[in-house]
Structure formats: structure tokens, C-alpha cells
Amino acid sequence: MRIAAMHSGGKTVHLRAGHYQAKIVTVGAGLAELTYHGRHIVVPHKPEEMPLAHLGKVLIPWPNRVANGCYQHNGKRLQLAVNDLASQSAIHGLLAWRDWQINQQSASEVSLTIFLPPSYGYPFALVSEVIYRLDTTNGLHVSICTQNVGEDTAPYGAGAHPYLTCNLQHIDSCELTLPASEERCDERDFTTPHLLAQTVIDHTFRPLSPDAGWEVRMTSRSQNMSTFLRSHQPWLQVYTGEKLARCGLAVEPMTCPPDAFNSGISLIHLAPGEKHQLNFLIGSE
């Protein structure tokens, strides 16, 4: 394992296990690259560059958006910075552009940690850890764990923002399989493999059986490969990556839907001392 010098992405950690290789950047505890047999299975970015569309970042203490950046907690109105002008919302938490610290490392695994101090918009204290572990058979295991180290119960959600790809093949020529859910993105039923073609998706799904686990899979016949993301999270955001010229599909496991700080749907109330963990797996076949 090698660690490069500091750059705009922080530091770069190189991981290897069998035919899998990964690059992790400390800014945003981000996944900058993941390959299998030398072929890309997530959309990569240069570690020294600021990626578009939260590419590969960890989303804490909320995924997706908080409408107008405003929410109520214990009778108090709290205001977050509105950093997505198109939707007039606070997007993807507070840690995607913060530099995390390398805690432990080996040839195939790295642990990154960060302290989130109280702020005016989010007056709660958290410590988060992200563990990336490559497995020679299954792929990249990702664990996101957060503990409330403050004195007040904190509203909390988490997620991640990888983009699946079949070696950067345009997704229009790939087949997509989604888990069964209560929602459908259009007239197509992607619970069985269907060609994406020109289908545009930017939709939140609630898998019908998250406790049993679910899988999103994308397959390219021309590349003779499939990529997948598996998790047990109750919510899933899928986006066809128009900001990235549709070279990848955002598959975001989430603990809660958009604007959960206001709706309360699946919102985690993290008590002082309490921990929460989110896990998912990315691989290729």
C-alpha cells in the first residue's frame, strides 16, 4: 500500500486484494477508483481533482437533501447552508468536503475517522468512521459507523454516492436490474434486466425486503461484465448520471429518504453514546 503526498483530495490510499484494486481519498472519505481485472466498476476521478456530482463521497449526517436547509428540532428552528441552488436545499450532509484522518491501514483495508463538531445549523457532536476493505472474492466492503459523542440526541442519516459503471461503457447500452420496491421510475419494470436506453432516472426507492438484502446490477453485453451494489438499507437513490454524461449510474444506499429532517420518515434519533452502522458491498462478475 502506498500513500501519496497531500493534494486537493487530501491523501490517496491504494488498496489491493487479488484482482481488485481501489483508490480512496481522505477528503470526503471518498472512493476515487475501483477496478477488477483492470476494468472500472465505479466511475473514477483523479484523486487530485475535485469530482463532480459528489462522486464517491460519504454522506453524513444526512443523505440527499434538506428542503430550504431548514428543519425543526425540539421546538427550535435550525438553518443549514443552502448549497444546492437548483433545488434550494442543503445537500448530502457536512462531511463530503472535509478531510478525514487515516486511522488504520493495511494492503487491503483502510479506516478513516473524523470528528464533526457542533455548528449553528447542526448543534450536535459526532465521530464517524469509514472502513474500506477489499476481498479477493466478493469485492469492496464498505462500513460507515457514527457515534453521538455529544450530550443531546441528534437527528441523523447516512448514505454513500458511488456510480456503478461497466468499464465506462455508456449506460444506454447496459441492462439494469433494480430490487422490487413500492415505486417505479417509469413504465418499465427493472426488477428483471431491461436495457436502460434513454431512460432518465433520479428517483428514491424503498426496497420491499431490505432486511433480506437487495442488489442493484448493471450489465454490459459488449464488455461481458456486470457490476453490482448490495446492501440492507431501507432506502435507495438511483440516478442515471446526466452530470457525468451517463457513463455511470449513481446507486446510493441511504438510511432515510430526502428531507427526512422535516418529514421524520426513517430518521434516526441518535442518542448520546449511541452508534449507528451502514454497510454495503460493490463488486463485479
Side-chain angles (χ1 to χ4, degrees):
M1 183 195 67
R2 296 177 290 112
I3 301 178
M6 185 73 72
H7 49 67
S8 61
K11 294 180 180 178
T12 306
V13 179
H14 298 251
L15 303 178
R16 178 191 292 269
H19 297 293
Y20 281 102
Q21 295 187 54
K23 294 179 183 178
I24 311 300
V25 289
T26 55
V27 170
L31 175 60
E33 183 175 293
L34 178 62
T35 61
Y36 182 59
H37 285 284
R39 299 197 292 177
H40 293 287
I41 61 178
V42 300
V43 176
H45 69 83
K46 293 180 180 180
E48 66 272 16
E49 293 181 352
M50 181 177 177
L52 294 171
H54 285 80
L55 188 67
K57 299 302 185 184
V58 168
L59 316 177
I60 295 171
W62 72 87
N64 221 296
R65 291 160 174 81
V66 177
N68 301 310
C70 181
Y71 66 103
Q72 299 278 334
H73 181 77
N74 287 341
K76 295 182 179 179
R77 181 183 185 274
L78 297 171
Q79 180 67 55
L80 300 158
V82 173
N83 56 358
D84 186 53
L85 297 181
S87 64
Q88 282 295 299
S89 63
I91 189 171
H92 290 332
L94 299 171
L95 296 179
W97 308 109
R98 292 274 303 277
D99 193 32
W100 295 53
Q101 302 302 307
I102 298 171
N103 182 36
Q104 293 182 336
Q105 56 193 33
S106 68
S108 60
E109 182 175 328
V110 64
S111 161
L112 302 108
T113 60
I114 197 167
F115 170 58
L116 177 64
S119 61
Y120 292 129
Y122 191 79
F124 311 99
L126 306 178
V127 170
S128 293
E129 178 185 31
V130 177
I131 299 173
Y132 289 100
R133 178 174 60 85
L134 275 179
D135 179 271
T136 58
T137 302
N138 297 312
L140 182 66
H141 296 263
V142 185
S143 173
I144 302 171
C145 182
T146 296
Q147 183 176 20
N148 183 347
V149 295
E151 298 179 353
D152 300 312
T153 296
Y156 178 79
H161 213 306
Y163 284 75
L164 295 183
T165 184
C166 292
N167 204 31
L168 304 182
Q169 180 82 23
H170 202 274
I171 66 171
D172 292 18
S173 61
C174 296
E175 295 178 352
L176 173 65
T177 310
L178 294 175
S181 68
E182 299 171 357
E183 308 87 359
R184 291 176 60 172
C185 55
D186 69 353
E187 71 279 1
R188 300 187 183 193
D189 180 3
F190 285 100
T191 55
T192 57
H194 276 84
L195 194 67
L196 263 166
Q198 285 78 46
T199 303
V200 174
I201 307 172
D202 192 0
H203 196 75
T204 304
F205 298 88
R206 187 168 195 168
L208 289 179
S209 303
D211 290 342
W214 50 260
E215 176 186 274
V216 174
R217 177 176 292 265
M218 194 162 61
T219 301
S220 169
R221 302 295 179 183
S222 63
Q223 294 285 333
N224 190 30
M225 69 181 293
S226 290
T227 57
F228 59 82
L229 188 148
R230 297 169 181 157
S231 187
H232 289 78
Q233 294 308 303
W235 296 91
L236 168 69
Q237 184 79 22
V238 177
Y239 165 55
T240 41
E242 280 68 32
K243 291 181 180 179
L244 301 175
R246 291 174 67 92
C247 68
L249 181 80
V251 180
E252 307 167 43
M254 306 185 301
T255 61
C256 57
D259 205 28
F261 274 26
N262 285 302
S263 71
I265 298 172
S266 298
L267 183 64
I268 296 165
H269 300 278
L270 202 62
E274 187 178 4
K275 293 182 179 180
H276 175 272
Q277 186 164 307
L278 181 159
N279 300 295
F280 63 94
L281 171 71
I282 302 176
S284 181
E285 295 174 343

